[in-house]
Amino acid sequence: MMPKGLRGYHSTMKNSSKSNPSVGVDLSTHGINDCVQCGRCAAVCRVSFISAESPRRVVRYLQRGDLDGAVRCGFLMLCKQCRTCTLTCPQGVDVAEIMRTLVRYRFTGYEYDE
Amino acid sequence: MKKTSPKIGVFLALPGDWFKETVDLKALIEKICKLKQVERCETIPDLWSETFLQMVRDAVAAGELDRALWVGRFTAHQRQKLKGFLAEAGMNPYLNEWCDLEEQGIAPNRTPQPLLTAKVLTLVKMALARVRLLKSLEPLEIPASDAVMVVGAGIAGLHAAASLLERGKQVHLVEQQSGVGGKVALLSRFYPLLCDPHCGLEFVLKNLKTSDRLTLHTLARPVSIEGEAGNFRVRLQTEPRHVDPDRCNGCGACMAVCPVDLPVFTDGVQDEPPFQREKGLGSYLKETRKAIHPSVPFSFPETYVVERKACPPECRACEGACPTGAVRLDQTPAEEMVTTGAVLAATGWDAYPLTKLDKYGYGKYTNIIGNLEMELLLSHLTGAVALKPAPDATGTDLPDIRLDTVGFVQCAGSRDSRHLEYCSSVCCSATLKQIKQLKSIQPDTRCYVFYQDIRCPGFEENLYRQVRQTGNVIFVRGFPKVTGPNGDGGKLSVTAEDTFSGVPIEAELDLLVLAGGMQPSRAGVDFAETAGLPRNDYGFLAGHYQCFPEESRRTGILGGGCARGPMNVSQSIESTQRAAMKALNYLEGAITIIPEYPVVDKTKCDQCKRCVEECPYASYRYDEKEFPEPDLTKCRQCGNCMGVCPVAAISLNHLTIKQLSAQIEVLETSFLEEDAPLILAFLCENDAHVAARSAADKGLAVPPNVIHIQVPCAGAVNNALVADALSIGVDGVLIAGCREGQCHYISGNELVRKRSGDLKDKLESMMIESERVRFESIEIQDARRYVAILNDYIRDLKEMGPNPFKI
């Protein structure tokens, strides 16, 4: 069963704009597919250099459709939500919001059973 | 001149043997012969046989025939040849008319026999109605200036000027700086050959220097452009040079006494460069300039210029020192008027202001520079392993810069939704060239290239390969963050993520070069405003991006080079040469106008000004009695004014409202079976008509219910004609134009859609369903869709029942 919290995410993978309005978390609006993996977010991130991963890599997991891989990243635990990544992104991807959504999902939605 | 009734010759080229078998040819010819003003009607046995042509020619020469209707299929080539042939015998080419039966759906085994004869007769009658009203027309010649103005004397403008001079034209070259050369004069090398741009400039200038047809306006800019193609009147505003070019011999005596020291020429490199002499990298460059100096950026014209703003108050040292008395310190700005046939904008580009990229710390750290500044640095770097401060530099504690490790940041400002959204297209190759150059001076330099994608189109890939092979160049796919100077000799610490391995990279750099992008030049923006030209989403001059890139919305004003978008040197030369080629059209001393232009019938016109508003090229102006009048040099003869006129007072000369309504009048609505609807289609000749023609060529089952009339643009169909057609009993009117946004005349198809609202009311007052008029978009390849649209329409019309006006 697909976790309720991330239905919106799956809809981005299919390039559809449909999302469930009743679900508060919707990754389709954050522009995962706009990311060109330039690495600017990783460069400006204050914690990516003490982590094994970077925000770029987390977004890459999502682009590949590997939600588990993204959620398992230790980086999520270090992200301080300073939003520098969002301010730097040349493509206008809301990177920080993606991180926040994934953290919420990791703690609340992972074992969500409908 | 005695008015005589037209004598028409009708010549039938039969589609094939099947036609003879299905139609009673003899009866048909007899019927046609009996029609009004038909002098003779014959089948063509062999079009190009001497006897037939001789017979027609003799008839025309003897005055037995004065216009011809050619029925059957004639290719454009054959039409042209026949027209020329009859013109030799003294018949105006505009007195020929063509009636293609096959494209109207006359084909074997598709149309029942009686219907076929009736349709052919109807088509011939319609064509004849037009032939009777044809006028002989002659092309117009409008006197035009043979001078051309090139705005911008960068490499693109210079090349355009050189080619136009070669063609023997008068060229006014306008440049806002004191010398020619533009951005290219600031570069140290061109890629990929690594040759000095000054050599290229000198080469193109060689022809300009000796030409007496060139007028060079330096320190000038156009402030207004009036008039139209062939006769533009451009007002130029010229800043004072303060030196008389006739007297100045460039001896340099003035420079020796000038007390002002300015940094090397950096205008146009960056707004606030770290190249200031006080503390920036400028203190490492040994050269300075004085307030009076040779023309910059390239010393042509070979005369001096005074930067009056930099002069100390009351200083007139140069005036006294000049042995020829050339200095004129009290000159004031001047204005002059220039008449030209065409204007070519080669206004070039400006560097994107890197101060906007605050995240890299440009302007904060001395050793972060832009790529144009790197060019300047490279041109001053001659074999030196380290940059030493100039002896007279103000900050004496400046460290040497060793250039052991140099970083390059690509896409600094380009491909970024917060800055320039497009790729500036030259920065990758420019960076690779700079690395190659740097390596040739100092082979053991380590270079880091921080990039997102390396874009080296075409042969520039070779440059990329060469740089990779030199070694000690590390390409990092990822962008750096400058963490600040590390305190050791002013080195910069940067960190980045190598996105391929996901591993962080740290580096200590002597110099960080930001490959800033290209934005439209300030002068280009001003020019577009002055000339009233639209700019595209990115601010560059807008043209038809694919098919007519050099043309602007204003006929006779052309754009070339970086004024139109980011280009490298060779592309911008190509582009302006194309623009120069187009400019030649307007420089022949006279502009020839095809006589199919619109004419306003001033006895009918009620001065509602609809035509003035809706002309896609804004070509209407008012005559002395406030009547609208098309400006024939701007007009592209689309006929939208004819379509829009509420009183049908405007007609294209070769497709008048009268001719069209005469054609509709003779249209017999009863040749089909009882319940079969008849459709009159107005087809745009660019797309829809081609589709209809190819539908017939492909042998598709085109229903016999449709008769079409070719118009230059869907927007040329006047509502009065549609109402005419419906009132004589045509069941449906189809207007077919191009797809949205693809109209060859910008907006004709949208205008006709807009007008259909007005038509609805009119039809309702006539008690006719407004669904009887349909607008469709048909693309050039849409032959099958054309047939499907017709079948749909016929089905709908059948449901609607016959037109109440049908006899």
Side-chain angles (χ1 to χ4, degrees), chain A residues 36-40 42-43 49 54 56-57 86-87 89-92, chain B residues 359 411 415-418 452 477-479 481 496-497 499 501-502 504:
Chain A
V36 290
Q37 295 285 311
C38 69
R40 279 183 176 94
F49 285 87
S54 65
R56 177 197 63 80
R57 192 188 275 209
T86 302
L87 291 176
C89 180
Q91 304 298 324
Chain B
K359 63 184 172 198
C411 299
R415 304 175 66 198
D416 189 330
S417 59
R418 287 160 211 274
Q452 184 173 326
R477 194 188 176 284
F479 282 92
K481 181 196 179 190
E497 188 202 19
T499 60
S501 61

PDB file of all heavy atoms in Angstrom, chain A residues 36-40 42-43 49 54 56-57 86-87 89-92, chain B residues 359 411 415-418 452 477-479 481 496-497 499 501-502 504:
ATOM      1  N   VAL A  36      18.412  20.039 -12.410  1.00  0.00           N
ATOM      2  CA  VAL A  36      19.358  19.589 -13.430  1.00  0.00           C
ATOM      3  C   VAL A  36      20.630  19.057 -12.792  1.00  0.00           C
ATOM      4  O   VAL A  36      21.626  18.866 -13.471  1.00  0.00           O
ATOM      5  CB  VAL A  36      19.688  20.717 -14.429  1.00  0.00           C
ATOM      6  CG1 VAL A  36      18.510  21.014 -15.296  1.00  0.00           C
ATOM      7  CG2 VAL A  36      20.158  21.958 -13.708  1.00  0.00           C
ATOM      8  N   GLN A  37      20.593  18.830 -11.487  1.00  0.00           N
ATOM      9  CA  GLN A  37      21.723  18.225 -10.780  1.00  0.00           C
ATOM     10  C   GLN A  37      23.003  19.034 -10.927  1.00  0.00           C
ATOM     11  O   GLN A  37      24.083  18.510 -11.140  1.00  0.00           O
ATOM     12  CB  GLN A  37      21.950  16.787 -11.298  1.00  0.00           C
ATOM     13  CG  GLN A  37      20.813  15.844 -11.003  1.00  0.00           C
ATOM     14  CD  GLN A  37      20.793  15.423  -9.542  1.00  0.00           C
ATOM     15  OE1 GLN A  37      21.798  15.025  -8.993  1.00  0.00           O
ATOM     16  NE2 GLN A  37      19.642  15.578  -8.921  1.00  0.00           N
ATOM     17  N   CYS A  38      22.873  20.355 -10.817  1.00  0.00           N
ATOM     18  CA  CYS A  38      24.062  21.179 -11.010  1.00  0.00           C
ATOM     19  C   CYS A  38      24.946  21.191  -9.771  1.00  0.00           C
ATOM     20  O   CYS A  38      26.135  21.481  -9.850  1.00  0.00           O
ATOM     21  CB  CYS A  38      23.657  22.612 -11.379  1.00  0.00           C
ATOM     22  SG  CYS A  38      22.872  23.522 -10.046  1.00  0.00           S
ATOM     23  N   GLY A  39      24.375  20.898  -8.612  1.00  0.00           N
ATOM     24  CA  GLY A  39      25.195  20.812  -7.408  1.00  0.00           C
ATOM     25  C   GLY A  39      25.384  22.115  -6.668  1.00  0.00           C
ATOM     26  O   GLY A  39      26.179  22.189  -5.737  1.00  0.00           O
ATOM     27  N   ARG A  40      24.687  23.166  -7.094  1.00  0.00           N
ATOM     28  CA  ARG A  40      24.845  24.437  -6.396  1.00  0.00           C
ATOM     29  C   ARG A  40      24.324  24.323  -4.954  1.00  0.00           C
ATOM     30  O   ARG A  40      24.884  24.907  -4.038  1.00  0.00           O
ATOM     31  CB  ARG A  40      24.111  25.544  -7.123  1.00  0.00           C
ATOM     32  CG  ARG A  40      24.872  26.114  -8.311  1.00  0.00           C
ATOM     33  CD  ARG A  40      24.060  27.256  -8.897  1.00  0.00           C
ATOM     34  NE  ARG A  40      24.736  27.953  -9.987  1.00  0.00           N
ATOM     35  CZ  ARG A  40      24.589  27.679 -11.271  1.00  0.00           C
ATOM     36  NH1 ARG A  40      23.834  26.667 -11.640  1.00  0.00           N
ATOM     37  NH2 ARG A  40      25.201  28.386 -12.185  1.00  0.00           N
ATOM     38  N   ALA A  42      24.353  21.731  -3.066  1.00  0.00           N
ATOM     39  CA  ALA A  42      25.327  21.006  -2.258  1.00  0.00           C
ATOM     40  C   ALA A  42      26.475  21.922  -1.867  1.00  0.00           C
ATOM     41  O   ALA A  42      27.009  21.843  -0.759  1.00  0.00           O
ATOM     42  CB  ALA A  42      25.859  19.816  -3.040  1.00  0.00           C
ATOM     43  N   ALA A  43      26.852  22.817  -2.795  1.00  0.00           N
ATOM     44  CA  ALA A  43      27.994  23.685  -2.519  1.00  0.00           C
ATOM     45  C   ALA A  43      27.681  24.664  -1.408  1.00  0.00           C
ATOM     46  O   ALA A  43      28.535  24.944  -0.570  1.00  0.00           O
ATOM     47  CB  ALA A  43      28.391  24.444  -3.778  1.00  0.00           C
ATOM     48  N   PHE A  49      28.675  18.833   3.845  1.00  0.00           N
ATOM     49  CA  PHE A  49      30.065  18.387   3.856  1.00  0.00           C
ATOM     50  C   PHE A  49      30.407  17.541   5.086  1.00  0.00           C
ATOM     51  O   PHE A  49      31.482  16.980   5.163  1.00  0.00           O
ATOM     52  CB  PHE A  49      31.012  19.589   3.726  1.00  0.00           C
ATOM     53  CG  PHE A  49      31.025  20.089   2.330  1.00  0.00           C
ATOM     54  CD1 PHE A  49      30.097  21.010   1.898  1.00  0.00           C
ATOM     55  CD2 PHE A  49      31.913  19.563   1.417  1.00  0.00           C
ATOM     56  CE1 PHE A  49      30.077  21.422   0.589  1.00  0.00           C
ATOM     57  CE2 PHE A  49      31.905  19.976   0.109  1.00  0.00           C
ATOM     58  CZ  PHE A  49      30.968  20.918  -0.324  1.00  0.00           C
ATOM     59  N   SER A  54      24.175  14.723  -0.019  1.00  0.00           N
ATOM     60  CA  SER A  54      23.905  16.141  -0.180  1.00  0.00           C
ATOM     61  C   SER A  54      22.456  16.278  -0.627  1.00  0.00           C
ATOM     62  O   SER A  54      21.856  15.302  -1.081  1.00  0.00           O
ATOM     63  CB  SER A  54      24.839  16.717  -1.240  1.00  0.00           C
ATOM     64  OG  SER A  54      24.535  16.136  -2.470  1.00  0.00           O
ATOM     65  N   ARG A  56      21.406  17.472  -3.247  1.00  0.00           N
ATOM     66  CA  ARG A  56      21.347  17.078  -4.654  1.00  0.00           C
ATOM     67  C   ARG A  56      21.097  15.581  -4.785  1.00  0.00           C
ATOM     68  O   ARG A  56      20.292  15.127  -5.574  1.00  0.00           O
ATOM     69  CB  ARG A  56      22.659  17.435  -5.346  1.00  0.00           C
ATOM     70  CG  ARG A  56      22.713  16.985  -6.793  1.00  0.00           C
ATOM     71  CD  ARG A  56      24.108  16.967  -7.317  1.00  0.00           C
ATOM     72  NE  ARG A  56      24.955  16.028  -6.626  1.00  0.00           N
ATOM     73  CZ  ARG A  56      24.970  14.718  -6.857  1.00  0.00           C
ATOM     74  NH1 ARG A  56      24.190  14.203  -7.773  1.00  0.00           N
ATOM     75  NH2 ARG A  56      25.766  13.929  -6.178  1.00  0.00           N
ATOM     76  N   ARG A  57      21.812  14.800  -3.951  1.00  0.00           N
ATOM     77  CA  ARG A  57      21.691  13.359  -4.068  1.00  0.00           C
ATOM     78  C   ARG A  57      20.304  12.886  -3.640  1.00  0.00           C
ATOM     79  O   ARG A  57      19.732  11.968  -4.240  1.00  0.00           O
ATOM     80  CB  ARG A  57      22.763  12.680  -3.226  1.00  0.00           C
ATOM     81  CG  ARG A  57      22.858  11.196  -3.541  1.00  0.00           C
ATOM     82  CD  ARG A  57      23.754  10.520  -2.580  1.00  0.00           C
ATOM     83  NE  ARG A  57      25.147  10.609  -2.990  1.00  0.00           N
ATOM     84  CZ  ARG A  57      26.042   9.671  -2.675  1.00  0.00           C
ATOM     85  NH1 ARG A  57      25.705   8.638  -1.956  1.00  0.00           N
ATOM     86  NH2 ARG A  57      27.282   9.796  -3.059  1.00  0.00           N
ATOM     87  N   THR A  86      17.388  26.468  -1.408  1.00  0.00           N
ATOM     88  CA  THR A  86      16.247  26.968  -2.180  1.00  0.00           C
ATOM     89  C   THR A  86      16.575  28.321  -2.791  1.00  0.00           C
ATOM     90  O   THR A  86      16.237  28.601  -3.938  1.00  0.00           O
ATOM     91  CB  THR A  86      15.020  27.091  -1.268  1.00  0.00           C
ATOM     92  OG1 THR A  86      14.759  25.812  -0.723  1.00  0.00           O
ATOM     93  CG2 THR A  86      13.815  27.576  -2.022  1.00  0.00           C
ATOM     94  N   LEU A  87      17.273  29.135  -2.014  1.00  0.00           N
ATOM     95  CA  LEU A  87      17.603  30.468  -2.515  1.00  0.00           C
ATOM     96  C   LEU A  87      18.656  30.415  -3.610  1.00  0.00           C
ATOM     97  O   LEU A  87      18.768  31.327  -4.411  1.00  0.00           O
ATOM     98  CB  LEU A  87      18.118  31.343  -1.367  1.00  0.00           C
ATOM     99  CG  LEU A  87      17.071  31.714  -0.324  1.00  0.00           C
ATOM    100  CD1 LEU A  87      17.702  32.490   0.802  1.00  0.00           C
ATOM    101  CD2 LEU A  87      15.956  32.529  -0.972  1.00  0.00           C
ATOM    102  N   CYS A  89      19.072  27.751  -5.819  1.00  0.00           N
ATOM    103  CA  CYS A  89      18.745  26.889  -6.960  1.00  0.00           C
ATOM    104  C   CYS A  89      18.435  27.714  -8.209  1.00  0.00           C
ATOM    105  O   CYS A  89      17.545  28.564  -8.181  1.00  0.00           O
ATOM    106  CB  CYS A  89      17.562  26.001  -6.637  1.00  0.00           C
ATOM    107  SG  CYS A  89      17.154  24.948  -8.025  1.00  0.00           S
ATOM    108  N   PRO A  90      19.178  27.483  -9.303  1.00  0.00           N
ATOM    109  CA  PRO A  90      18.929  28.258 -10.528  1.00  0.00           C
ATOM    110  C   PRO A  90      17.624  27.860 -11.211  1.00  0.00           C
ATOM    111  O   PRO A  90      17.134  28.578 -12.057  1.00  0.00           O
ATOM    112  CB  PRO A  90      20.128  27.934 -11.408  1.00  0.00           C
ATOM    113  CG  PRO A  90      20.578  26.610 -10.954  1.00  0.00           C
ATOM    114  CD  PRO A  90      20.277  26.532  -9.490  1.00  0.00           C
ATOM    115  N   GLN A  91      17.112  26.686 -10.867  1.00  0.00           N
ATOM    116  CA  GLN A  91      15.898  26.224 -11.540  1.00  0.00           C
ATOM    117  C   GLN A  91      14.655  26.508 -10.719  1.00  0.00           C
ATOM    118  O   GLN A  91      13.557  26.114 -11.101  1.00  0.00           O
ATOM    119  CB  GLN A  91      15.988  24.721 -11.818  1.00  0.00           C
ATOM    120  CG  GLN A  91      17.200  24.307 -12.607  1.00  0.00           C
ATOM    121  CD  GLN A  91      17.225  24.934 -13.983  1.00  0.00           C
ATOM    122  OE1 GLN A  91      16.190  25.095 -14.610  1.00  0.00           O
ATOM    123  NE2 GLN A  91      18.391  25.321 -14.454  1.00  0.00           N
ATOM    124  N   GLY A  92      14.821  27.131  -9.597  1.00  0.00           N
ATOM    125  CA  GLY A  92      13.659  27.460  -8.776  1.00  0.00           C
ATOM    126  C   GLY A  92      13.062  26.249  -8.064  1.00  0.00           C
ATOM    127  O   GLY A  92      11.883  26.246  -7.742  1.00  0.00           O
TER     128      GLY A  92
ATOM    129  N   LYS B 359      26.543  35.560  -4.632  1.00  0.00           N
ATOM    130  CA  LYS B 359      26.954  34.349  -3.912  1.00  0.00           C
ATOM    131  C   LYS B 359      28.425  33.980  -4.156  1.00  0.00           C
ATOM    132  O   LYS B 359      29.015  33.299  -3.334  1.00  0.00           O
ATOM    133  CB  LYS B 359      26.051  33.187  -4.270  1.00  0.00           C
ATOM    134  CG  LYS B 359      26.107  32.780  -5.707  1.00  0.00           C
ATOM    135  CD  LYS B 359      25.123  31.682  -6.016  1.00  0.00           C
ATOM    136  CE  LYS B 359      25.084  31.445  -7.502  1.00  0.00           C
ATOM    137  NZ  LYS B 359      23.917  30.739  -7.948  1.00  0.00           N
ATOM    138  N   CYS B 411      28.547  29.058 -16.535  1.00  0.00           N
ATOM    139  CA  CYS B 411      27.137  29.429 -16.309  1.00  0.00           C
ATOM    140  C   CYS B 411      26.994  30.396 -15.148  1.00  0.00           C
ATOM    141  O   CYS B 411      26.085  30.253 -14.324  1.00  0.00           O
ATOM    142  CB  CYS B 411      26.257  28.208 -16.052  1.00  0.00           C
ATOM    143  SG  CYS B 411      26.228  27.065 -17.394  1.00  0.00           S
ATOM    144  N   ARG B 415      21.650  30.334 -17.748  1.00  0.00           N
ATOM    145  CA  ARG B 415      20.867  29.130 -17.471  1.00  0.00           C
ATOM    146  C   ARG B 415      20.397  29.111 -16.022  1.00  0.00           C
ATOM    147  O   ARG B 415      20.494  28.101 -15.331  1.00  0.00           O
ATOM    148  CB  ARG B 415      21.700  27.881 -17.766  1.00  0.00           C
ATOM    149  CG  ARG B 415      22.237  27.854 -19.174  1.00  0.00           C
ATOM    150  CD  ARG B 415      23.142  26.696 -19.397  1.00  0.00           C
ATOM    151  NE  ARG B 415      22.406  25.438 -19.310  1.00  0.00           N
ATOM    152  CZ  ARG B 415      22.989  24.261 -19.127  1.00  0.00           C
ATOM    153  NH1 ARG B 415      24.282  24.177 -19.000  1.00  0.00           N
ATOM    154  NH2 ARG B 415      22.270  23.180 -19.077  1.00  0.00           N
ATOM    155  N   ASP B 416      19.949  30.246 -15.589  1.00  0.00           N
ATOM    156  CA  ASP B 416      19.579  30.390 -14.190  1.00  0.00           C
ATOM    157  C   ASP B 416      18.290  31.201 -14.147  1.00  0.00           C
ATOM    158  O   ASP B 416      18.233  32.305 -14.667  1.00  0.00           O
ATOM    159  CB  ASP B 416      20.726  31.130 -13.472  1.00  0.00           C
ATOM    160  CG  ASP B 416      20.547  31.131 -11.970  1.00  0.00           C
ATOM    161  OD1 ASP B 416      19.391  31.105 -11.525  1.00  0.00           O
ATOM    162  OD2 ASP B 416      21.566  31.166 -11.260  1.00  0.00           O
ATOM    163  N   SER B 417      17.265  30.636 -13.563  1.00  0.00           N
ATOM    164  CA  SER B 417      15.973  31.331 -13.597  1.00  0.00           C
ATOM    165  C   SER B 417      16.022  32.640 -12.822  1.00  0.00           C
ATOM    166  O   SER B 417      15.144  33.477 -12.957  1.00  0.00           O
ATOM    167  CB  SER B 417      14.878  30.436 -13.038  1.00  0.00           C
ATOM    168  OG  SER B 417      15.182  30.085 -11.712  1.00  0.00           O
ATOM    169  N   ARG B 418      17.069  32.807 -11.988  1.00  0.00           N
ATOM    170  CA  ARG B 418      17.168  34.058 -11.251  1.00  0.00           C
ATOM    171  C   ARG B 418      17.961  35.108 -12.040  1.00  0.00           C
ATOM    172  O   ARG B 418      18.010  36.269 -11.652  1.00  0.00           O
ATOM    173  CB  ARG B 418      17.869  33.835  -9.917  1.00  0.00           C
ATOM    174  CG  ARG B 418      17.009  33.103  -8.928  1.00  0.00           C
ATOM    175  CD  ARG B 418      17.856  32.487  -7.855  1.00  0.00           C
ATOM    176  NE  ARG B 418      17.233  31.268  -7.378  1.00  0.00           N
ATOM    177  CZ  ARG B 418      16.310  31.238  -6.419  1.00  0.00           C
ATOM    178  NH1 ARG B 418      15.925  32.331  -5.836  1.00  0.00           N
ATOM    179  NH2 ARG B 418      15.775  30.099  -6.060  1.00  0.00           N
ATOM    180  N   GLN B 452      28.236  22.868 -15.380  1.00  0.00           N
ATOM    181  CA  GLN B 452      26.982  22.125 -15.307  1.00  0.00           C
ATOM    182  C   GLN B 452      26.871  21.209 -16.523  1.00  0.00           C
ATOM    183  O   GLN B 452      26.555  20.051 -16.418  1.00  0.00           O
ATOM    184  CB  GLN B 452      25.834  23.119 -15.266  1.00  0.00           C
ATOM    185  CG  GLN B 452      24.480  22.517 -15.093  1.00  0.00           C
ATOM    186  CD  GLN B 452      23.444  23.619 -14.905  1.00  0.00           C
ATOM    187  OE1 GLN B 452      23.731  24.656 -14.320  1.00  0.00           O
ATOM    188  NE2 GLN B 452      22.253  23.391 -15.395  1.00  0.00           N
ATOM    189  N   ARG B 477      31.963  18.588 -12.184  1.00  0.00           N
ATOM    190  CA  ARG B 477      30.560  18.865 -12.485  1.00  0.00           C
ATOM    191  C   ARG B 477      29.871  19.237 -11.183  1.00  0.00           C
ATOM    192  O   ARG B 477      29.475  18.382 -10.401  1.00  0.00           O
ATOM    193  CB  ARG B 477      29.873  17.667 -13.121  1.00  0.00           C
ATOM    194  CG  ARG B 477      28.554  18.067 -13.729  1.00  0.00           C
ATOM    195  CD  ARG B 477      27.736  16.897 -14.195  1.00  0.00           C
ATOM    196  NE  ARG B 477      26.454  17.372 -14.686  1.00  0.00           N
ATOM    197  CZ  ARG B 477      25.455  17.754 -13.914  1.00  0.00           C
ATOM    198  NH1 ARG B 477      25.587  17.723 -12.612  1.00  0.00           N
ATOM    199  NH2 ARG B 477      24.323  18.185 -14.445  1.00  0.00           N
ATOM    200  N   GLY B 478      29.767  20.507 -10.954  1.00  0.00           N
ATOM    201  CA  GLY B 478      29.217  21.003  -9.707  1.00  0.00           C
ATOM    202  C   GLY B 478      29.678  22.424  -9.540  1.00  0.00           C
ATOM    203  O   GLY B 478      30.562  22.880 -10.281  1.00  0.00           O
ATOM    204  N   PHE B 479      29.074  23.130  -8.606  1.00  0.00           N
ATOM    205  CA  PHE B 479      29.417  24.541  -8.482  1.00  0.00           C
ATOM    206  C   PHE B 479      30.056  24.837  -7.147  1.00  0.00           C
ATOM    207  O   PHE B 479      29.714  24.215  -6.144  1.00  0.00           O
ATOM    208  CB  PHE B 479      28.173  25.393  -8.711  1.00  0.00           C
ATOM    209  CG  PHE B 479      27.857  25.498 -10.145  1.00  0.00           C
ATOM    210  CD1 PHE B 479      26.995  24.612 -10.750  1.00  0.00           C
ATOM    211  CD2 PHE B 479      28.496  26.443 -10.933  1.00  0.00           C
ATOM    212  CE1 PHE B 479      26.747  24.677 -12.095  1.00  0.00           C
ATOM    213  CE2 PHE B 479      28.250  26.517 -12.276  1.00  0.00           C
ATOM    214  CZ  PHE B 479      27.375  25.631 -12.858  1.00  0.00           C
ATOM    215  N   LYS B 481      31.457  26.970  -3.765  1.00  0.00           N
ATOM    216  CA  LYS B 481      31.086  28.015  -2.835  1.00  0.00           C
ATOM    217  C   LYS B 481      32.400  28.606  -2.361  1.00  0.00           C
ATOM    218  O   LYS B 481      33.325  27.874  -1.993  1.00  0.00           O
ATOM    219  CB  LYS B 481      30.330  27.408  -1.671  1.00  0.00           C
ATOM    220  CG  LYS B 481      29.877  28.436  -0.667  1.00  0.00           C
ATOM    221  CD  LYS B 481      29.499  27.760   0.615  1.00  0.00           C
ATOM    222  CE  LYS B 481      29.056  28.798   1.630  1.00  0.00           C
ATOM    223  NZ  LYS B 481      28.923  28.180   2.947  1.00  0.00           N
ATOM    224  N   ALA B 496      33.221  22.487  -3.244  1.00  0.00           N
ATOM    225  CA  ALA B 496      32.173  22.144  -4.205  1.00  0.00           C
ATOM    226  C   ALA B 496      31.852  20.679  -4.044  1.00  0.00           C
ATOM    227  O   ALA B 496      32.626  19.919  -3.447  1.00  0.00           O
ATOM    228  CB  ALA B 496      32.648  22.423  -5.623  1.00  0.00           C
ATOM    229  N   GLU B 497      30.705  20.285  -4.575  1.00  0.00           N
ATOM    230  CA  GLU B 497      30.417  18.858  -4.610  1.00  0.00           C
ATOM    231  C   GLU B 497      30.651  18.379  -6.025  1.00  0.00           C
ATOM    232  O   GLU B 497      30.134  18.975  -6.968  1.00  0.00           O
ATOM    233  CB  GLU B 497      28.964  18.589  -4.215  1.00  0.00           C
ATOM    234  CG  GLU B 497      28.680  17.114  -4.057  1.00  0.00           C
ATOM    235  CD  GLU B 497      27.216  16.750  -4.191  1.00  0.00           C
ATOM    236  OE1 GLU B 497      26.448  17.541  -4.739  1.00  0.00           O
ATOM    237  OE2 GLU B 497      26.863  15.646  -3.751  1.00  0.00           O
ATOM    238  N   THR B 499      29.420  16.257  -8.448  1.00  0.00           N
ATOM    239  CA  THR B 499      28.133  15.561  -8.461  1.00  0.00           C
ATOM    240  C   THR B 499      28.220  14.174  -9.086  1.00  0.00           C
ATOM    241  O   THR B 499      27.300  13.388  -8.955  1.00  0.00           O
ATOM    242  CB  THR B 499      27.075  16.377  -9.227  1.00  0.00           C
ATOM    243  OG1 THR B 499      27.523  16.563 -10.553  1.00  0.00           O
ATOM    244  CG2 THR B 499      26.826  17.709  -8.570  1.00  0.00           C
ATOM    245  N   SER B 501      30.729  11.884  -8.383  1.00  0.00           N
ATOM    246  CA  SER B 501      31.092  10.941  -7.325  1.00  0.00           C
ATOM    247  C   SER B 501      30.325  11.221  -6.046  1.00  0.00           C
ATOM    248  O   SER B 501      30.304  10.390  -5.149  1.00  0.00           O
ATOM    249  CB  SER B 501      32.589  11.021  -7.061  1.00  0.00           C
ATOM    250  OG  SER B 501      32.920  12.325  -6.643  1.00  0.00           O
ATOM    251  N   GLY B 502      29.708  12.389  -5.939  1.00  0.00           N
ATOM    252  CA  GLY B 502      29.010  12.754  -4.720  1.00  0.00           C
ATOM    253  C   GLY B 502      29.956  13.130  -3.596  1.00  0.00           C
ATOM    254  O   GLY B 502      29.560  13.213  -2.447  1.00  0.00           O
ATOM    255  N   PRO B 504      32.722  15.688  -1.793  1.00  0.00           N
ATOM    256  CA  PRO B 504      33.096  17.096  -1.762  1.00  0.00           C
ATOM    257  C   PRO B 504      34.531  17.309  -2.249  1.00  0.00           C
ATOM    258  O   PRO B 504      35.392  16.445  -2.091  1.00  0.00           O
ATOM    259  CB  PRO B 504      32.979  17.481  -0.290  1.00  0.00           C
ATOM    260  CG  PRO B 504      32.332  16.344   0.390  1.00  0.00           C
ATOM    261  CD  PRO B 504      32.487  15.153  -0.453  1.00  0.00           C
TER     262      PRO B 504
END
